[in-house]
Amino acid sequence: MRKVLKWIGIGLGSLIVLLLIAGFTMYLIGGSKLNQTYAVHTADLVIPTDSASLVRGAHLARINGCTDCHGPDLSGQVFVDAPPFRVVAANLTAGAGGIGRTYTAEDWDRTIRHGVKPDGKPVFIMPSAAFHRLSDEDTAALIAYLQQVPAVDHDLPPTEIRTPGRLMAAGPLDVAMEVRTEPARSSRPPIGPTADYGEYLASGVCAYCHGEGLLGAQPATPGSPPAPSLVAAGQWSLDEFTTTLRTGTTPGGRTLDPEFMPVAFTSQYDSTEYRALHAYLETLQGGIQTASDS
Ligand code: HEC
Ligand code: HEC
C-alpha cells in the first residue's frame, strides 16, 4: 500500500514539474510574441489644411467608428478591464494624457492603417486591418482632422497584458491579428453612388466582419454571432437597406445585436454612401445564401 502511494506521489510530482515547465515555457513564448516589433511601409502623406478635407476627415472618423470607441470627443476610454488584460482606447487629442501631443503624421498612419504603435508593437482590439483599405487621400484627411480636434485633458491607465493574457498569447490569442506590414491602398474611386465607391467602403469596415466579398464570416469578437452573407441584403430595396444600417432593425423586424453589428458606425454614412453600398451589394452573387428574414 505504502509503495503504491509513493509511486502515485512520484507520478503526481513529475506531472506538476512538467506542468510548471510547460507554463513557464508558455509564459516566455507569450512574452516574446508580445514584445515582437513590426516594421511597416507607411506612405509619404501630404496632410491637407483646407476646410473640405477637414469635413471629410470628421466624416471618416464617424463612419470608421473612431468616435464610437475613442468617445465622441475622442478623449478615450478603458475598453476592456478583465483578468487577462486591460485594453485602453487612447485619448487621441493633444490634451493632457493624449497621444495627439506627440504623434507625427507617420505615427498616425502606422497605427491606423498598419496596426503598429510608435514603439513597433501591435495594437489590440483597434480594427486596423479594416482601415488598411483606406486610401492615402482619405487617411491624410482623417489625420488633418485628428490633428486639430479640441484638446481634452483625460489621463488614462496604459494598456496592460497580464499573466493570463501572456499565456493566451502563446496559444490561441493572435497578438498580431491587426498588423498589416505591406503598403496600404493608395487611391480610391471618386465619391458617388456607384458600386465602385461602395466596394471601397465595404472592403474595409464591412468585410472586416462579413468576410472577403461579404459572403459571411465569423467575427473575432468573443461571443459574436456569425456575420451573415450580405447577398440577401443586396436584394432588399434601397430604403430597407438604409433603414437597417441606420436603425439596426431588418425589413423582417429583427433587431441586430448592436454589440456585434456596429450600428453606431453604420448609421453615420450619408445618403450617397448608402446608395453606393447598396449598389455594390446588388452586384454580389453566389456564396451561401443564409436564411434571410426579409
Ligand atoms: C472597435 C473599437 C475601435 C475603433 C473603431 C477604433 N479604435 Fe483606435 N483603439 C482602440 C483600442 C482598444 C486601442 C488600444 C490598443 C492598444 O493599446 O493596444 C486603440 C488605439 C488607438 C491608437 C494608438 C494609441 C497609442 O497607444 O499609441 C490610435 C492612434 C487610434 N486607436 C486611433 C484610432 C482612429 C483614428 C480610429 C478611426 C479610424 C480608431 N482608432 C478606431 C479601439 C478602437
Ligand atoms: C464588428 C463586426 C461587423 C461589422 C464591422 C459590420 N457588421 Fe454587419 N453584422 C455583423 C453581425 C455579427 C451581424 C449579425 C447580427 C445579429 O444576428 O444580431 C451583422 C448583420 C448585418 C446585416 C443583417 C443581414 C441579414 O441578412 O439579416 C446587414 C445588412 C449588415 N450586417 C450589413 C453590414 C454592412 C453594410 C457593414 C459595413 C458598412 C457591416 N454590416 C459591418 C457584424 C458586423
Side-chain angles (χ1 to χ4, degrees):
M1 190 60 189
R2 284 215 151 173
K3 229 178 186 166
V4 173
L5 282 182
K6 188 175 153 199
W7 283 112
I8 291 177
I10 291 173
L12 279 178
S14 0
L15 191 65
I16 288 167
V17 170
L18 277 177
L19 283 176
L20 281 175
I21 292 174
F24 186 63
T25 312
M26 279 176 74
Y27 186 77
L28 291 181
I29 295 175
S32 82
K33 285 198 178 164
L34 288 168
N35 283 321
Q36 188 169 334
T37 57
Y38 297 84
V40 306
H41 291 278
T42 50
D44 281 324
L45 299 177
V46 180
I47 308 303
T49 51
D50 61 292
S51 59
S53 298
L54 292 176
V55 169
R56 174 77 180 160
H59 180 64
L60 288 164
R62 287 191 298 270
I63 63 176
N64 288 294
C66 320
T67 43
D68 187 43
C69 294
H70 291 269
D73 62 0
L74 298 175
S75 69
Q77 60 172 319
V78 175
F79 209 78
V80 186
D81 198 348
F85 29 65
R86 176 180 60 213
V87 183
V88 181
N91 174 353
L92 301 184
T93 78
I99 53 119
R101 293 167 93 88
T102 53
Y103 256 53
T104 63
E106 195 187 5
D107 290 335
W108 283 113
D109 188 18
R110 193 190 302 103
T111 307
I112 297 170
R113 290 197 293 179
H114 298 277
V116 177
K117 295 198 250 188
D119 64 3
K121 292 186 189 164
V123 296
F124 303 109
I125 300 177
M126 160 84 182
S128 296
F131 307 145
H132 191 240
R133 302 303 309 268
L134 282 172
S135 74
D136 287 350
E137 187 191 347
D138 276 349
T139 306
L142 179 60
I143 295 173
Y145 165 71
L146 291 166
Q147 284 178 334
Q148 57 79 66
V149 290
V152 182
D153 297 339
H154 189 200
D155 277 307
L156 287 158
T159 287
E160 188 176 273
I161 309 300
R162 301 169 179 140
T163 304
R166 201 170 150 152
L167 295 177
M168 282 161 75
L173 181 72
D174 178 7
V175 294
M177 196 180 116
E178 303 294 341
V179 173
R180 296 291 179 274
T181 53
E182 64 276 22
R185 179 171 185 150
S186 56
S187 62
R188 63 154 164 76
I191 296 174
T194 62
D196 277 354
Y197 183 57
E199 192 274 340
Y200 168 69
L201 295 172
S203 67
V205 171
C206 318
Y208 182 76
C209 292
H210 289 272
E212 202 58 42
L214 309 182
L215 296 177
Q218 179 57 53
T221 323
S224 175
S229 158
L230 296 182
V231 172
Q235 302 306 310
W236 298 345
S237 72
L238 174 63
D239 268 0
E240 289 172 331
F241 175 73
T242 304
T243 303
T244 304
L245 292 198
R246 279 211 176 116
T247 65
T249 304
T250 69
R254 196 163 72 86
T255 302
L256 303 171
D257 189 333
E259 196 184 330
F260 300 113
M261 164 63 190
V263 177
F265 332 171
T266 67
S267 58
Q268 301 294 323
Y269 290 98
D270 62 29
S271 57
T272 304
E273 289 167 334
Y274 288 121
R275 284 167 68 196
L277 284 165
H278 186 257
Y280 171 57
L281 258 56
E282 272 181 324
T283 70
L284 299 179
Q285 17 187 285
I288 309 132
Q289 295 255 355
T290 51
S292 163
D293 57 358
S294 58

Coordinates of all heavy atoms in Angstrom, one line a residue, residues 195-253:
A195 N -21.3 51.4 -57.5 CA -20.8 50.2 -56.9 C -19.3 50.2 -56.6 O -18.9 49.6 -55.6 CB -21.1 49.0 -57.9
D196 N -18.6 50.9 -57.4 CA -17.1 51.0 -57.2 C -16.8 51.7 -55.8 O -16.0 51.2 -55.0 CB -16.4 51.8 -58.3 CG -16.1 51.0 -59.5 OD1 -16.3 49.8 -59.4 OD2 -15.7 51.6 -60.5
Y197 N -17.5 52.8 -55.6 CA -17.3 53.5 -54.3 C -17.8 52.7 -53.2 O -17.2 52.6 -52.1 CB -17.9 54.9 -54.4 CG -17.6 55.7 -53.1 CD1 -16.3 55.9 -52.6 CD2 -18.7 56.2 -52.3 CE1 -16.1 56.7 -51.4 CE2 -18.5 56.9 -51.2 CZ -17.2 57.1 -50.7 OH -17.0 57.8 -49.6
G198 N -18.9 52.0 -53.4 CA -19.5 51.1 -52.4 C -18.5 49.9 -52.1 O -18.3 49.6 -50.9
E199 N -17.9 49.4 -53.1 CA -16.9 48.4 -52.8 C -15.7 48.9 -52.0 O -15.2 48.2 -51.1 CB -16.3 47.8 -54.2 CG -15.5 46.5 -54.1 CD -14.0 46.7 -53.8 OE1 -13.5 47.8 -54.0 OE2 -13.4 45.7 -53.3
Y200 N -15.3 50.1 -52.3 CA -14.2 50.8 -51.5 C -14.6 50.8 -50.0 O -13.9 50.4 -49.1 CB -13.9 52.1 -52.0 CG -13.1 53.0 -51.2 CD1 -11.7 52.7 -51.0 CD2 -13.6 54.1 -50.5 CE1 -10.9 53.4 -50.1 CE2 -12.8 54.9 -49.7 CZ -11.5 54.6 -49.5 OH -10.7 55.3 -48.7
L201 N -15.8 51.3 -49.7 CA -16.3 51.4 -48.3 C -16.4 50.1 -47.7 O -16.0 49.9 -46.5 CB -17.7 52.2 -48.3 CG -17.7 53.6 -48.7 CD1 -19.1 54.1 -48.8 CD2 -16.9 54.5 -47.8
A202 N -17.0 49.1 -48.4 CA -17.4 47.8 -47.8 C -16.1 46.9 -47.6 O -16.1 46.2 -46.7 CB -18.4 47.1 -48.7
S203 N -15.1 47.1 -48.5 CA -14.0 46.2 -48.4 C -13.1 46.4 -47.1 O -12.4 45.6 -46.7 CB -13.1 46.4 -49.6 OG -12.5 47.7 -49.6
G204 N -13.3 47.6 -46.5 CA -12.7 47.8 -45.2 C -13.5 47.4 -44.1 O -13.5 46.2 -43.6
V205 N -14.4 48.3 -43.6 CA -15.2 48.0 -42.4 C -16.1 46.8 -42.5 O -16.1 45.9 -41.6 CB -16.0 49.3 -42.1 CG1 -17.0 49.0 -40.9 CG2 -15.1 50.4 -41.7
C206 N -16.9 46.7 -43.6 CA -17.9 45.6 -43.6 C -17.2 44.3 -43.7 O -17.6 43.3 -43.1 CB -19.0 45.8 -44.7 SG -19.6 47.5 -44.9
A207 N -16.2 44.2 -44.6 CA -15.5 42.9 -44.9 C -14.8 42.4 -43.7 O -14.5 41.3 -43.5 CB -14.6 43.0 -46.1
Y208 N -14.4 43.4 -42.8 CA -13.7 43.0 -41.6 C -14.4 42.0 -40.8 O -13.8 41.0 -40.2 CB -13.5 44.3 -40.7 CG -12.7 44.1 -39.4 CD1 -11.3 44.0 -39.4 CD2 -13.4 44.1 -38.2 CE1 -10.6 43.9 -38.3 CE2 -12.7 43.9 -37.0 CZ -11.3 43.8 -37.1 OH -10.6 43.7 -35.9
C209 N -15.8 42.1 -40.8 CA -16.6 41.1 -40.1 C -17.3 40.1 -41.0 O -17.5 39.0 -40.7 CB -17.6 41.8 -39.2 SG -16.9 42.6 -37.8
H210 N -17.9 40.7 -42.1 CA -18.7 39.9 -43.0 C -17.8 39.0 -44.0 O -18.4 38.3 -44.8 CB -19.7 40.7 -43.8 CG -20.8 41.2 -42.9 ND1 -21.9 40.5 -42.7 CD2 -20.9 42.4 -42.2 CE1 -22.7 41.2 -41.8 NE2 -22.1 42.3 -41.5
G211 N -16.5 39.2 -43.9 CA -15.6 38.4 -44.7 C -15.3 38.9 -46.1 O -16.0 39.8 -46.6
E212 N -14.3 38.3 -46.7 CA -13.9 38.6 -48.1 C -15.1 38.5 -49.0 O -15.9 37.5 -48.9 CB -12.9 37.6 -48.5 CG -11.9 38.0 -49.6 CD -11.1 39.3 -49.3 OE1 -10.7 39.4 -48.2 OE2 -11.0 40.1 -50.2
G213 N -15.4 39.5 -49.8 CA -16.5 39.5 -50.7 C -17.9 39.6 -50.0 O -18.9 39.4 -50.6
L214 N -17.9 39.8 -48.7 CA -19.1 39.9 -47.9 C -20.0 38.6 -47.9 O -21.2 38.7 -47.8 CB -20.0 41.1 -48.3 CG -19.2 42.5 -48.4 CD1 -20.2 43.6 -48.8 CD2 -18.5 42.8 -47.1
L215 N -19.3 37.5 -48.1 CA -20.0 36.3 -48.2 C -20.3 35.6 -46.9 O -20.7 34.4 -46.8 CB -19.3 35.3 -49.2 CG -19.3 35.9 -50.6 CD1 -18.5 35.0 -51.6 CD2 -20.7 36.1 -51.2
G216 N -20.0 36.3 -45.8 CA -20.3 35.7 -44.5 C -19.0 35.2 -43.8 O -18.1 34.7 -44.4
A217 N -18.9 35.5 -42.5 CA -17.7 35.0 -41.7 C -18.0 35.1 -40.2 O -19.1 35.6 -39.8 CB -16.5 36.0 -42.0
Q218 N -17.1 34.5 -39.5 CA -17.3 34.5 -38.0 C -16.4 35.6 -37.5 O -15.1 35.5 -37.6 CB -16.9 33.2 -37.4 CG -16.9 33.1 -35.9 CD -18.3 33.4 -35.3 OE1 -19.3 32.9 -35.7 NE2 -18.4 34.4 -34.4
P219 N -16.9 36.8 -37.0 CA -16.1 37.8 -36.4 C -15.2 37.3 -35.3 O -15.6 36.4 -34.6 CB -17.1 38.9 -36.0 CG -18.3 38.6 -36.7 CD -18.3 37.1 -36.9
A220 N -14.1 38.0 -35.0 CA -13.2 37.6 -34.0 C -13.7 37.9 -32.6 O -13.2 37.3 -31.6 CB -11.8 38.2 -34.2
T221 N -14.6 38.9 -32.5 CA -15.1 39.3 -31.2 C -15.7 38.1 -30.4 O -16.6 37.5 -30.9 CB -16.2 40.4 -31.3 OG1 -15.9 41.2 -32.4 CG2 -16.4 41.2 -30.1
P222 N -15.2 37.8 -29.2 CA -15.7 36.7 -28.4 C -17.2 36.9 -28.2 O -17.7 38.0 -27.9 CB -15.0 36.8 -27.1 CG -13.8 37.6 -27.4 CD -14.1 38.6 -28.5
G223 N -18.0 35.8 -28.4 CA -19.4 35.8 -28.2 C -20.2 36.3 -29.4 O -21.4 36.3 -29.3
S224 N -19.5 36.8 -30.5 CA -20.3 37.3 -31.6 C -21.0 36.2 -32.4 O -20.5 35.2 -32.6 CB -19.4 38.0 -32.6 OG -20.1 38.5 -33.7
P225 N -22.3 36.5 -32.8 CA -22.9 35.6 -33.7 C -22.2 35.7 -35.1 O -21.5 36.7 -35.3 CB -24.4 36.2 -33.8 CG -24.3 37.6 -33.4 CD -23.1 37.7 -32.5
P226 N -22.4 34.8 -36.0 CA -21.8 34.9 -37.3 C -22.3 36.1 -38.0 O -23.4 36.5 -37.8 CB -22.2 33.6 -38.1 CG -22.9 32.7 -37.1 CD -23.2 33.6 -35.9
A227 N -21.4 36.8 -38.8 CA -21.8 37.9 -39.6 C -22.3 37.3 -40.9 O -21.5 36.8 -41.6 CB -20.7 38.9 -39.8
P228 N -23.6 37.4 -41.2 CA -24.1 36.6 -42.4 C -23.6 37.1 -43.7 O -23.2 38.3 -43.8 CB -25.6 36.8 -42.3 CG -25.8 38.0 -41.5 CD -24.7 38.1 -40.6
S229 N -23.8 36.3 -44.8 CA -23.6 36.8 -46.1 C -24.5 38.0 -46.4 O -25.6 38.0 -46.0 CB -23.9 35.6 -47.1 OG -24.1 36.2 -48.4
L230 N -24.0 39.0 -47.1 CA -24.8 40.1 -47.4 C -25.5 40.1 -48.8 O -26.0 41.0 -49.3 CB -24.0 41.4 -47.2 CG -23.6 41.7 -45.8 CD1 -22.8 43.0 -45.7 CD2 -24.7 41.7 -44.8
V231 N -25.4 38.9 -49.4 CA -26.1 38.7 -50.7 C -27.6 39.0 -50.6 O -28.2 39.7 -51.4 CB -25.8 37.2 -51.2 CG1 -26.7 37.0 -52.5 CG2 -24.4 37.0 -51.5
A232 N -28.2 38.4 -49.5 CA -29.6 38.6 -49.3 C -29.9 40.1 -49.1 O -30.9 40.7 -49.7 CB -30.1 37.8 -48.2
A233 N -29.1 40.8 -48.3 CA -29.4 42.2 -48.0 C -29.3 43.1 -49.3 O -29.9 44.1 -49.4 CB -28.4 42.7 -47.0
G234 N -28.5 42.6 -50.3 CA -28.3 43.3 -51.6 C -29.6 43.3 -52.4 O -29.8 44.0 -53.3
Q235 N -30.5 42.3 -52.0 CA -31.8 42.2 -52.7 C -32.9 43.0 -52.0 O -34.0 43.2 -52.6 CB -32.2 40.7 -52.8 CG -31.2 39.8 -53.5 CD -30.8 40.3 -54.9 OE1 -31.7 40.6 -55.7 NE2 -29.5 40.5 -55.1
W236 N -32.6 43.6 -50.9 CA -33.6 44.5 -50.2 C -33.7 45.8 -51.0 O -32.7 46.1 -51.8 CB -33.1 44.8 -48.8 CG -33.0 43.7 -47.9 CD1 -33.5 42.4 -48.0 CD2 -32.3 43.7 -46.6 NE1 -33.2 41.6 -46.9 CE2 -32.5 42.4 -46.0 CE3 -31.6 44.6 -45.8 CZ2 -31.9 42.0 -44.8 CZ3 -31.1 44.3 -44.6 CH2 -31.2 43.0 -44.1
S237 N -34.8 46.5 -50.9 CA -34.8 47.8 -51.6 C -33.8 48.8 -50.9 O -33.4 48.5 -49.8 CB -36.2 48.4 -51.5 OG -36.5 48.8 -50.1
L238 N -33.5 49.9 -51.6 CA -32.5 50.8 -51.0 C -33.0 51.3 -49.7 O -32.3 51.5 -48.7 CB -32.3 52.0 -52.0 CG -31.5 53.1 -51.5 CD1 -30.0 52.7 -51.2 CD2 -31.5 54.3 -52.5
D239 N -34.3 51.6 -49.6 CA -34.9 52.1 -48.3 C -34.8 51.1 -47.2 O -34.4 51.5 -46.1 CB -36.4 52.4 -48.5 CG -36.6 53.8 -48.9 OD1 -35.6 54.6 -49.1 OD2 -37.8 54.2 -49.1
E240 N -35.1 49.8 -47.5 CA -35.0 48.8 -46.5 C -33.5 48.7 -46.0 O -33.3 48.5 -44.8 CB -35.5 47.5 -47.0 CG -37.0 47.4 -47.3 CD -37.4 46.1 -48.0 OE1 -36.6 45.6 -48.8 OE2 -38.5 45.7 -47.8
F241 N -32.6 48.7 -47.0 CA -31.2 48.6 -46.6 C -30.7 49.7 -45.8 O -30.1 49.5 -44.7 CB -30.4 48.5 -48.0 CG -28.9 48.5 -47.8 CD1 -28.3 47.3 -47.3 CD2 -28.1 49.6 -48.1 CE1 -26.9 47.3 -47.1 CE2 -26.8 49.6 -47.9 CZ -26.2 48.4 -47.4
T242 N -31.1 50.9 -46.2 CA -30.7 52.1 -45.5 C -31.2 52.1 -44.0 O -30.5 52.4 -43.1 CB -31.1 53.4 -46.2 OG1 -30.6 53.4 -47.5 CG2 -30.6 54.7 -45.5
T243 N -32.5 51.8 -43.9 CA -33.1 51.7 -42.6 C -32.4 50.7 -41.7 O -32.2 50.9 -40.5 CB -34.6 51.4 -42.7 OG1 -35.2 52.3 -43.6 CG2 -35.3 51.4 -41.4
T244 N -32.1 49.6 -42.3 CA -31.4 48.5 -41.5 C -30.1 49.1 -40.9 O -29.7 48.9 -39.7 CB -31.1 47.3 -42.3 OG1 -32.4 46.8 -42.8 CG2 -30.5 46.2 -41.5
L245 N -29.3 49.7 -41.8 CA -28.0 50.2 -41.3 C -28.1 51.4 -40.4 O -27.3 51.6 -39.5 CB -27.1 50.6 -42.5 CG -26.6 49.5 -43.4 CD1 -25.4 50.0 -44.3 CD2 -26.2 48.3 -42.7
R246 N -29.2 52.2 -40.5 CA -29.4 53.3 -39.7 C -29.9 52.9 -38.3 O -29.6 53.5 -37.3 CB -30.4 54.3 -40.3 CG -29.8 55.2 -41.3 CD -30.5 56.6 -41.4 NE -29.8 57.4 -42.3 CZ -30.4 57.9 -43.4 NH1 -31.6 57.6 -43.7 NH2 -29.7 58.7 -44.2
T247 N -30.8 51.9 -38.3 CA -31.6 51.6 -37.0 C -31.2 50.3 -36.4 O -31.5 50.0 -35.3 CB -33.1 51.6 -37.3 OG1 -33.4 50.5 -38.2 CG2 -33.6 52.9 -37.9
G248 N -30.6 49.4 -37.3 CA -30.3 48.1 -36.8 C -31.5 47.1 -36.8 O -31.4 46.0 -36.2
T249 N -32.6 47.5 -37.4 CA -33.7 46.6 -37.5 C -33.9 46.2 -39.0 O -34.0 47.1 -39.8 CB -35.0 47.3 -37.0 OG1 -34.8 47.7 -35.6 CG2 -36.2 46.3 -37.0
T250 N -34.0 44.9 -39.2 CA -34.1 44.4 -40.6 C -35.5 44.6 -41.1 O -36.5 44.7 -40.4 CB -33.7 43.0 -40.7 OG1 -34.7 42.2 -40.0 CG2 -32.3 42.7 -40.0
P251 N -35.7 44.5 -42.5 CA -37.1 44.5 -43.0 C -38.0 43.5 -42.4 O -39.2 43.7 -42.3 CB -36.8 44.2 -44.5 CG -35.4 44.5 -44.8 CD -34.7 44.3 -43.5
G252 N -37.4 42.4 -42.0 CA -38.3 41.3 -41.3 C -38.6 41.6 -39.9 O -39.2 40.9 -39.2
G253 N -38.1 42.8 -39.4 CA -38.4 43.2 -38.0 C -37.4 42.7 -36.9 O -37.7 42.8 -35.7

